[in-house]
Amino acid sequence: MRYLPLTDGDRQAMLATIGAASIDDLFVDVPAEARLAGTIPGLPDHASELAVERHMAALARQNLSAGEAPFFLGAGAYKHHVPASVDHLIQRGEFLTAYTPYQPEIAQGTLQVLFEFQTQVARLLGCDVANASMYDGSTACWEAIGMARRITKRGKAILSSGLHPHYVSVAQTMAKFTGDELAYATPELDSESDNSTLIAAIDKDTSCVVVQYPDILGRIEDLTPLAEAAHAAGALLVAVVTEPVALGAIKAPGAMGADIVVGEGQSLGVGLQFGGPYLGLFACKQKYVRQMPGRLCGETVDAAGKRGFVLTLSTREQHIRREKATSNICTNSGLCALAFSIHMTLLGERGLRQLAGLNHALACQAADRLAKVPGVTLMNDSFFNEFTLILPTDAREAVRNLADRGILAGVSLGRLFPTAPDLANGLVVAVTETTTAEDIEALAKALEEELA
């Protein structure tokens, strides 16, 4: 954004227009004890532009970025190669300036891309229909819980222990305002699945069961028995996918009976981007489409009989009566959805399957090598491109020490579950097509030295 300075005359004119004598008058409603009385300790009052740039650059050099080191971080955000053509295409003016179609009739290109995006997501997740995207995976997960409540008229959601704890935290925050009851327990390192526990917990008050696939520990389970048990009790099955590339190799949740499938689309086209903006995926069975939050783009014909695209469904507060709105999310992640769709188109079905196969093969290579490190145990019997190692020491310390040596070794379960001491030795390792054999060997040798 451009820097647009104001003169003293500009400020006085603006204050006079709103009837304020000074800028301080704008803050009279803020209690005096909540106002900053002086300067901020430890910060200079001002500095030159050059000095600030140099200071910020020095701070940036303290970071170890994803492209500068062997990288094994995952747990919901994955480093994949994004073709340069993706960024080139999304920066075309007709996309970049119209990615939020508030006047959809003049944004036909954007609507067509979102229509194609919906088709890709529905096929990928194994569902009948998908919306035009949401903010990210965690908010999409909560929206699915809210949708299940509207459909079943029940207020209890059972969350799998394998659901990402950040997703759980978002749901717990939102449930404070809706009154939903959330049943949740942290995972156990000696358990391959919690499906039997989830099935046993389903009762007449259950609106949905929420399960991640693959889960936070990298475990992959057949969702069919869980879907059947939920349906028998009148509840829905919500599946969460944080790594969509996995669906190039494993069965889609919708094909196993999931009623609503949500997820994070960051892996395809978007990149890590320092944590955002990301891309929420949301799909469901056709019979529930009118309870789906967000936007739905549809194909139609205009008065001349030509093919055209419209916002077929937009059940948000700005468009209909608030009491009828399915969500207060006000838009979709249009530009990120475009990037996802372009990347998916470049890959095609064959390319996605090849990419998934490469991810899995490299992950197997890494798991086999790391399991040979003295004291290290591989927890998973099956996984896609992410698995959990059990170390003989606190994984948080190991991760920090390896980062000091220039290796980003993974995500410690102690960081994800700080109040669960039984998980402190767990390390989640993610491997993608960007990982090399040299990276794997570097991690293995460094881990051997760290644990010696």
Side-chain angles (χ1 to χ4, degrees):
M1 297 177 67
R2 291 177 297 160
Y3 173 54
L4 301 176
L6 297 174
T7 66
D8 288 338
D10 293 332
R11 294 188 182 91
Q12 291 303 318
M14 294 168 68
L15 290 169
T17 299
I18 62 175
S22 69
I23 292 177
D24 290 338
D25 289 349
L26 302 179
F27 301 94
V28 293
D29 292 325
V30 179
E33 60 272 16
R35 301 181 204 171
L36 186 64
T39 60
I40 300 175
L43 288 181
D45 288 341
H46 62 274
S48 69
E49 182 177 345
L50 179 60
V52 171
E53 288 176 351
R54 287 178 172 173
H55 179 67
M56 298 303 290
L59 293 177
R61 283 193 294 271
Q62 298 179 33
N63 291 328
L64 182 60
S65 70
E68 296 176 348
F71 186 89
F72 297 91
L73 302 181
Y78 303 91
K79 182 190 175 189
H80 289 284
H81 172 69
V82 178
S85 50
V86 174
D87 282 341
H88 174 75
L89 290 172
I90 68 172
Q91 291 182 57
R92 289 182 60 94
E94 54 266 60
F95 284 136
L96 195 60
T97 61
Y99 71 90
T100 302
Y102 284 109
Q103 294 176 294
E105 68 280 0
I106 62 171
Q108 285 294 297
T110 295
L111 290 181
Q112 180 173 353
V113 168
L114 292 176
F115 181 81
E116 302 294 346
F117 166 83
Q118 292 169 180
T119 304
Q120 291 171 329
V121 172
R123 290 193 61 185
L124 186 67
L125 302 183
C127 294
D128 299 324
V129 60
N131 71 13
S133 78
M134 308 202 80
Y135 288 141
D136 59 16
S138 64
T139 48
C141 177
W142 165 253
E143 291 290 340
I145 295 172
M147 179 173 166
R149 180 183 67 252
R150 293 192 298 273
I151 292 170
T152 64
K153 304 297 189 292
R154 300 174 179 178
K156 175 185 175 183
I158 301 173
L159 310 185
S160 166
S161 67
L163 181 61
H164 197 301
H166 295 173
Y167 287 43
V168 173
S169 179
V170 169
Q172 289 172 336
T173 297
M174 296 302 295
K176 294 177 182 178
F177 302 97
T178 64
D180 284 77
E181 177 187 350
L182 303 181
Y184 171 72
T186 54
E188 299 177 2
L189 290 180
D190 58 354
S191 174
E192 262 302 302
S193 170
D194 67 347
N195 281 3
S196 58
T197 303
L198 295 174
I199 290 173
I202 299 173
D203 58 24
K204 61 181 178 60
D205 298 319
T206 302
S207 64
C208 63
V209 178
V210 184
V211 59
Q212 186 171 318
Y213 172 84
D215 74 5
I216 188 61
L217 302 181
R219 300 174 299 189
I220 302 173
E221 288 293 315
D222 182 4
L223 301 183
T224 305
L226 196 55
E228 292 173 348
H231 297 159
L236 304 183
L237 176 62
V238 176
V240 178
V241 178
T242 62
E243 171 55 296
V245 175
L247 300 181
I250 60 178
K251 196 171 185 179
M256 291 183 282
D259 301 282
I260 306 171
V261 184
V262 300
E264 175 56 63
Q266 169 273 323
S267 285
L268 292 167
V270 179
L272 290 171
Q273 300 194 137
F274 301 97
Y278 280 178
L279 170 65
L281 309 178
F282 199 109
C284 66
K285 292 180 177 179
Q286 178 69 38
K287 62 181 178 180
Y288 299 134
V289 65
R290 288 193 173 275
Q291 289 297 333
M292 185 170 63
R295 293 169 163 178
L296 184 70
C297 294
E299 180 182 349
T300 185
V301 293
D302 64 14
K306 295 181 180 179
R307 184 189 190 203
F309 298 90
V310 295
L311 279 181
T312 304
L313 191 66
S314 191
T315 54
R316 63 184 183 133
E317 291 177 357
Q318 292 94 325
H319 290 159
I320 61 175
R321 293 193 303 274
R322 175 165 295 191
E323 63 272 16
K324 297 291 186 180
T326 57
S327 171
N328 65 357
I329 287 184
C330 65
T331 186
N332 58 289
S333 296
L335 205 60
C336 293
L338 173 62
F340 177 101
S341 192
I342 292 172
H343 196 174
M344 280 285 286
T345 302
L346 291 170
L347 286 170
E349 182 176 345
R350 180 182 300 178
L352 180 63
R353 293 190 185 279
Q354 290 175 343
L355 178 63
L358 180 58
N359 274 245
H360 181 58
L362 286 166
C364 289
Q365 180 181 339
D368 290 343
R369 175 65 181 91
L370 295 171
K372 295 177 182 178
V373 175
V376 173
T377 303
L378 175 63
M379 192 204 79
N380 306 65
D381 288 334
S382 61
F383 55 86
F384 171 61
N385 68 351
E386 194 166 28
F387 51 85
T388 299
L389 300 176
I390 302 175
L391 308 185
T393 185
D394 192 313
R396 282 171 288 193
E397 183 178 355
V399 167
R400 284 192 293 267
N401 292 340
L402 290 178
D404 291 339
R405 300 171 63 167
I407 297 175
L408 297 172
V411 178
S412 60
L413 291 180
R415 178 180 179 182
L416 292 176
F417 302 95
T419 61
D422 292 344
L423 300 177
N425 291 11
L427 177 65
V428 180
V429 176
V431 179
T432 72
E433 75 282 359
T434 65
T435 308
T436 65
E438 292 77 14
D439 292 338
I440 295 171
E441 189 60 27
L443 172 59
K445 288 185 176 179
L447 195 56
E448 288 173 350
E449 295 174 4
E450 173 65 23
L451 299 178

